[in-house]
Amino acid sequence: MTNSSTSSTTGSTTGDTASAKVPDSDRKGSLSAFKGLFPFLRPYRRQFLMAGVALVMAAASTLAIPYAFKQMIDLGFGASAGATSIRNVNATFLALFGVATVLALATAARFYIVSWLGERVTADIRSAVYRHVVNQSPEFFETTQTGEVLSRITTDTTLIQAVVGTSISMALRNMLLFLGGLVMLFVTSVKLSSIILGLLVLVVVPIVLFGRRVRKLSRDSQDRIADASAMAGEILNAMPTVQAFTHEKIESTRFGASVEGAFQTAMKRIRSRAMLTMFAIVMVFGTIVFVLWLGAHAVLAGTMTGGDLGQFILYASIVAGSIGALSEVMGEAQRAAGATERLLELLSAKSTIQEPAQPLALPARAANGAALALSDVTFTYPSRPDSPALSRLSLNILPGETVAVVGPSGAGKTTLFQLFLRFYDPQSGSITLDGVDIRRLELHTLRDAIGIVPQDTVIFSADAMENIRYGRAGASDAEVIAAAKLAAAHEFIERLPQGYKSFLGERGVRLSGGQRQRIAIARALLKNPPLLLLDEATSALDAESERLVQSALEAAMVGRTTVIIAHRLATVQRADRILVMEDGRIVETGTHASLVALGGIYANLAALQFHHVHVVH
C-alpha cells in the first residue's frame, strides 16, 4: 500500500538509520584491515603450509644461483686452462640445471596452491557476505543501495582474490629473497653491504609514507565505482519509466558524469602509483649502481675477486628486484585493503531484527487457522521518528476469521503486514501468533506460518514452475499445478510456449500485471500457511481475472485466517469484519452493511467508489 512505499522512500531518502546502515570506513593508514580475513584463511592452514614449503624451496633455489656463478668464475675461468677447469665448468652448469629444475617444480607447486587458495577464500567471502546481507532487515535495504552491495561482493572480492592468490605469495617470496640476498651480500662484502643497506633505508621510508596516499586514493576509487554501479542498477531496473518520460539522454549524461568521476579518481590513483614506482626504481637501482661502482674499483685494487663481484652483483639484483616487487605488491595490497574494509563493513552490519536466544515453538496448528493479536502497539519508522505509523493499536483476530483493512493512503495498513512478518519491531506493545509473542519465535518459524501476496509482485528470472515452487521448495510438480489451478493461473501458463517450463523473463516482463499477480497468489497458496496476508491481491486484474481469482481466494481462505488490505471495497464486502484505519488507528469496525449504515469514513469511501462504478457503467 501507499503508506508503506512512502515510508520506504522516506527511509531511503533520508538515510539516517544508523543502526542498519553500513558504517563509514575509518580509513586507517595501515594494512590492519587484513586481520579481518583471518577467519576465512584459518580453515586452510595445511594448504598455506604446503605453499610455504614450496615458497622456501623456490627462494632457496633462486639464492643458490649467484653462488654457482661465483664458483664458475673463480674455479672455472679463474683457474689455469685445462681439464680441471673444464670439469669445474661442467659441474657448475650441471648444478645450475638441477637448481633450475627444483626452482621450476617449487614455483609450479606454489602457483597452483596459492591460486587455489585465492579462489577458495574468495568464494567463501562472497558466500559469507551474501548470506549475511540476505538476513538483514528491510531497514538495511532502505539505507544501502543494492548496486553498492553487488559492487562489494564482485569487484572488492576480486581484489581480495588477487591478494590471497598472488600478492601474499609474491610478498613472502620477495621478502625471503630480500632477506636471503641481504645476508649473502654481507657474506660477500660487509663494507659494500653496509653502504647499500644504509642508502636503502633512506629510500624505503619515503616510499612507505607515499604509499599511504595511494591506499586512500584506492579506497576512493572503489567508492566511485560502487556509486556508478548502484546508479546503473537503479536505472536499468526502471527502464520503462525512464523511456516513458524520455529521460534516456538525461540518465545517460548522469551516468556518464558518474563514470567520469570514477575515472578521474582512478587516474589520481594511477598517477600516484606511477610516481611511487618510478621513485622506487630510480632510487633503489641508483643506490645499487653506486655501490657496484665501488665494487668494481675494489676488484681493480685486488681486494675482491671477480667471482665475488659477480656474486655481489647478482645478489644485489635479487635484493633490488625484490624491493621493486614488494613496492608493487604493496600498491596492490593497499588497494585490496580498502576493498577488505568495505566487505568487513558489510559483515559487521547488525540487523535490527534479532533472533531470540531461546526461541519458543508455536502450538500445534489448528484446523481453522491461526489466532493473531496486537496489544497496545505503537510503531514509528526509523526514518520518520516524529510521525507514528501506528498509535496504541489493539486488535484480536480469531482463527479462521477473514478481516479486511481499509482506509486512506498512509493510514498504516501495510505497516501492519510488515510488523506481522517482523520486518520491523514496534517501539511498544506486543504482537502474538497463537498466543506466542512473535519476538520469541525464530524468524523462519514465524514466516513459515504466514503466506503473503504483495501489491508489488516479484517474479524471478526462472520458469513458471520454479516461480510458483518458491512458495514451498520441496513441492512436487503436481502440487505446483494444483496451486496454479486454484489461483486461476493454470490456463494462461499452459498457453505459454513451453507451458510450466516457460522462462518468464527478468522481473516477469513476459507476463501481464494480472498474470504476475496470479503467479504470486499460486505461490502463497502452495505454501499453505495458517495465516494469509493479501495486500491488494486483485488490484492488477481485469474484471474476468478478478472474478476467477476472487473465487479461488474465497476457497483458499477456508481453514485459515486471512487479513486483506484493499482500496477496492468490492473485494472486501464478504469479509467477516472490516477495520477502517486512519492515522495509525482503527476508527471504525464492522461489516460492510453496518459500516455503510454508520455513515462514517467507510460509508464515504463506499459512496465514492460505487457511485464511480455506477457512472462508468
Side-chain angles (χ1 to χ4, degrees):
M1 293 298 290
T2 310
N3 67 311
S4 173
S5 60
T6 302
S7 62
S8 176
T9 304
T10 306
S12 59
T13 303
T14 57
D16 58 0
T17 313
S19 58
K21 187 177 181 179
V22 178
D24 290 335
S25 169
D26 57 8
R27 303 181 185 269
K28 297 177 182 178
S30 69
L31 301 179
S32 60
F34 288 125
K35 292 179 181 178
L37 295 180
F38 287 165
F40 298 99
L41 304 179
R42 195 174 295 118
Y44 308 109
R45 290 188 292 266
R46 184 168 64 89
Q47 286 83 354
F48 275 104
L49 179 61
M50 293 167 59
V53 171
L55 187 65
V56 171
M57 290 177 63
S61 301
T62 303
L63 291 171
I65 292 174
Y67 179 74
F69 272 94
K70 168 185 161 55
Q71 296 297 104
M72 181 184 66
I73 294 172
D74 287 346
L75 300 181
F77 302 147
S80 58
T84 302
S85 182
I86 294 173
R87 282 196 302 272
N88 288 338
V89 170
N90 291 342
T92 299
F93 276 96
L94 187 62
L96 272 174
F97 180 75
V99 170
T101 302
V102 173
L103 176 62
L105 292 173
T107 301
R110 174 187 61 83
F111 172 77
Y112 176 82
I113 296 171
V114 298
S115 297
W116 182 91
L117 284 167
E119 296 289 347
R120 179 69 268 166
V121 170
T122 301
D124 292 348
I125 292 173
R126 282 177 176 152
S127 296
V129 172
Y130 189 79
R131 184 167 56 248
H132 185 74
V133 167
V134 297
N135 282 292
Q136 294 299 307
S137 69
E139 191 176 333
F140 173 88
F141 297 99
E142 286 185 2
T143 56
T144 305
Q145 289 182 305
T146 304
E148 182 180 351
V149 175
L150 293 176
S151 173
R152 297 189 186 196
I153 292 176
T154 54
T155 306
D156 290 354
T157 51
T158 301
L159 291 174
I160 293 175
Q161 177 184 345
V163 168
V164 176
T166 303
S167 298
I168 290 178
S169 171
M170 292 293 293
L172 291 174
R173 175 179 178 273
N174 285 285
M175 185 61 69
L176 287 175
L177 291 178
F178 172 76
L179 295 175
L182 202 58
V183 169
M184 294 306 298
L185 283 176
F186 275 95
V187 170
T188 306
S189 173
V190 174
K191 177 183 176 181
L192 294 181
S193 300
S194 299
I195 294 173
I196 199 171
L197 184 62
L199 292 175
L200 285 177
V201 169
L202 295 177
V203 170
V204 168
V205 171
I207 290 176
V208 172
L209 295 176
F210 191 67
R212 294 185 177 181
R213 169 176 167 79
V214 175
R215 178 174 177 273
K216 180 181 182 298
L217 290 173
S218 297
R219 174 61 191 259
D220 291 343
S221 179
Q222 289 302 110
D223 288 342
R224 299 292 78 76
I225 292 171
D227 291 343
S229 176
M231 181 186 298
E234 180 182 22
I235 298 305
L236 291 176
N237 283 329
M239 281 312 299
T241 302
V242 172
Q243 293 174 350
F245 285 90
T246 64
H247 270 228
E248 296 93 334
K249 185 176 181 179
I250 294 173
E251 295 300 344
S252 296
T253 302
R254 196 161 68 96
F255 181 73
S258 179
V259 171
E260 184 64 24
F263 169 76
Q264 294 298 336
T265 305
M267 288 309 301
K268 289 181 182 178
R269 171 180 58 79
I270 292 169
R271 281 194 293 269
S272 298
R273 281 283 302 278
M275 292 298 295
L276 178 62
T277 302
M278 181 189 71
F279 179 79
I281 291 175
V282 170
M283 297 305 296
V284 170
F285 278 91
T287 299
I288 291 172
V289 168
F290 171 70
V291 173
L292 293 182
W293 175 76
L294 296 177
H297 279 273
V299 172
L300 293 175
T303 56
M304 284 184 75
T305 68
D308 285 336
L309 181 59
Q311 176 177 283
F312 191 88
I313 290 173
L314 290 175
Y315 280 126
S317 299
I318 289 174
V319 170
S322 63
I323 292 175
L326 283 171
S327 67
E328 184 73 18
V329 169
M330 184 64 69
E332 291 296 327
Q334 287 167 340
R335 190 177 178 204
T340 302
E341 285 178 350
R342 287 155 52 89
L343 285 169
L344 294 177
E345 286 170 0
L346 275 183
L347 286 172
S348 65
K350 299 295 184 183
S351 174
T352 54
I353 303 299
Q354 295 294 318
E355 297 272 9
Q358 295 180 322
L360 300 179
L362 283 172
R365 179 172 175 176
N368 58 341
L372 189 63
L374 289 79
S375 178
D376 206 25
V377 169
T378 296
F379 172 71
T380 302
Y381 283 101
S383 56
R384 297 184 299 167
D386 299 325
S387 179
L390 299 176
S391 300
R392 304 182 65 84
L393 188 67
S394 295
L395 172 65
N396 283 302
I397 300 176
L398 302 176
E401 188 176 14
T402 298
V403 175
V405 183
V406 300
S409 298
K413 301 183 294 297
T414 299
T415 300
L416 280 178
F417 280 18
Q418 292 179 323
L419 294 182
F420 291 161
L421 289 160
R422 208 178 165 221
F423 289 160
Y424 298 91
D425 281 334
Q427 280 77 29
S428 64
S430 64
I431 303 172
T432 61
L433 181 67
D434 284 335
V436 181
D437 191 319
I438 63 173
R439 285 174 291 198
R440 301 295 306 278
L441 297 171
E442 287 186 338
L443 291 175
H444 281 192
T445 300
L446 170 65
R447 292 168 184 170
D448 279 346
I450 302 174
I452 183 167
V453 180
Q455 182 180 11
D456 185 13
T457 302
V458 174
I459 300 296
F460 297 97
S461 296
D463 60 37
M465 182 71 74
E466 293 308 314
N467 261 285
I468 297 175
R469 188 177 277 126
Y470 204 82
R472 180 157 51 90
S476 66
D477 288 358
E479 289 173 316
V480 170
I481 294 172
K485 289 179 178 178
L486 192 60
H490 177 72
E491 289 187 7
F492 84 77
I493 293 176
E494 286 282 271
R495 289 196 298 268
L496 294 174
Q498 285 85 40
Y500 279 85
K501 295 300 180 182
S502 298
F503 179 68
L504 302 183
E506 187 176 4
R507 301 173 66 88
V509 294
R510 298 185 180 183
L511 301 179
S512 68
Q515 290 171 335
R516 288 197 296 268
Q517 198 82 33
R518 281 179 275 172
I519 291 284
I521 292 170
R523 187 186 294 161
L525 295 178
L526 180 65
K527 189 176 184 181
N528 191 28
L531 176 61
L532 184 62
L533 306 180
L534 306 177
D535 188 353
E536 289 283 10
T538 60
S539 62
L541 305 183
D542 54 49
E544 178 62 18
S545 295
E546 181 176 4
R547 183 187 64 79
L548 293 171
V549 172
Q550 193 65 47
S551 175
L553 287 176
E554 288 176 5
M557 292 175 192
V558 176
R560 75 183 82 247
T561 304
T562 307
V563 183
I564 305 170
I565 292 176
H567 276 305
R568 293 161 66 171
L569 303 186
T571 63
V572 302
Q573 290 186 41
R574 290 186 292 276
D576 297 321
R577 190 161 34 125
I578 299 174
L579 309 178
V580 182
M581 294 191 65
E582 186 177 45
D583 297 330
R585 295 180 175 86
I586 297 174
V587 293
E588 296 177 7
T589 304
T591 63
H592 172 74
S594 66
L595 290 174
V596 169
L598 187 64
I601 295 175
Y602 183 87
N604 291 334
L605 291 173
L608 287 171
Q609 289 196 23
F610 293 125
H611 175 68
H612 175 70
V613 170
H614 176 72
V615 170
V616 170
H617 288 290

